[in-house]
Amino acid sequence: MHPTLTILVHAAAAAALSLGGIVGQSPALETRLLALAAGSNLPATVSAFRALEEAAPPPADLLRSSPERLDGRWSLVATVAATVGEDLAESVDSGTARASAVNASGVVVDASEGTLPVQEVDVKRRRIGNEVVLATPLGRVLLRVAGAFEPAAPPAPGTRATVSFDSLEVFTEGGGRRLLSAGWVFALGRAVNPALANGADDASWLETTYLSDKVRLGRGNKGSIFVLRRLDEGGGALAAWPL
């Protein structure tokens, strides 16, 4: 074999071995992240999050080539939000980052107590929704905010979806009955205070930065990160209620 060709073959083999080693770490990195996400060590959780998304990023054209991989119901294991005006690293270092805060176009919910929130992605109908249990003076209820999504326009990454929330619903805690539907809240909020349209470009977006059969990682336009685990057989109280 020609010396130059031999060098190229060896280089390609080394690169393949290196890539295989990195991707092969994913299950162990998933396990570590899920364990940390269940605790309160935000710096360690964010570090593990970055390690996993860097080890095995999803296809660059995910939302166009294989969006069905996102379909289903996912338990929100952890979310970490940056303080307004800071990036996530600054907020974590300064101790001002917020854990378990779910934000949908200005509707912010503290999800640190009780049942883990659920996020549903309906690829066929291009709908996405977040569900969280709330304690109210009249008892515990289930709140869902939902909206339409579509792949973000270039030059945004093909893993990014823009989201327009348009639905707010309140259910009994078990999901057996809908108590309130108030989608007009989003339209009114944006009309009264345009700043409630998340993000500098006046559009909410969610980017998938890691995806396996069981775990999904995401970043939002407000600087938040999300760790989600797929629910078996589409579990959760609102599985029977279409978005």
Side-chain angles (χ1 to χ4, degrees), residues 46-238:
V46 173
S47 177
F49 180 98
R50 289 174 175 155
L52 182 53
E53 66 178 2
E54 290 173 4
D61 62 346
L62 174 66
L63 286 173
R64 293 177 174 83
S65 65
S66 51
E68 68 280 355
R69 294 181 59 195
L70 300 170
D71 207 49
R73 291 173 60 77
W74 302 77
S75 174
L76 185 60
V77 178
T79 176
V80 182
T83 298
V84 175
E86 295 183 345
D87 64 22
L88 185 61
E90 292 172 339
S91 289
V92 170
D93 290 342
S94 65
T96 59
R98 293 183 61 191
S100 304
V102 179
N103 187 331
S105 286
V107 178
V108 183
V109 175
D110 182 353
S112 60
E113 299 293 337
T115 306
L116 289 176
V118 171
Q119 183 176 91
E120 180 176 357
V121 181
D122 184 337
V123 171
K124 184 176 182 179
R125 298 179 61 231
R126 292 200 172 186
R127 299 281 295 174
I128 187 169
N130 296 323
E131 306 161 15
V132 63
V133 174
L134 295 178
T136 74
L138 299 178
R140 290 161 63 87
V141 297
L142 191 55
L143 173 72
R144 179 170 73 183
V145 291
F149 77 88
E150 61 182 1
T159 54
R160 180 179 297 180
T162 57
V163 183
S164 179
F165 290 101
D166 54 28
S167 170
L168 185 153
E169 298 168 289
V170 179
F171 298 81
T172 54
E173 183 179 2
R177 185 162 58 96
R178 182 164 53 194
L179 306 174
L180 175 68
S181 179
W184 53 266
V185 168
F186 291 105
L188 177 61
R190 292 183 182 114
V192 173
N193 184 2
L196 293 181
N198 286 354
D201 59 354
D202 290 336
S204 298
W205 56 256
L206 177 63
E207 189 170 325
T208 298
T209 59
Y210 172 83
L211 181 62
S212 71
D213 290 340
K214 296 181 178 179
V215 174
R216 174 163 61 95
L217 305 185
R219 290 180 177 268
N221 59 298
K222 297 287 282 185
S224 299
I225 62 173
F226 308 92
V227 180
L228 304 105
R229 180 162 42 192
R230 188 183 293 278
L231 289 169
D232 294 334
E233 299 180 357
L238 299 184

Side-chain angles (χ1 to χ4, degrees), residues 9-20:
V9 169
H10 287 169
L17 286 172
S18 175
L19 179 60

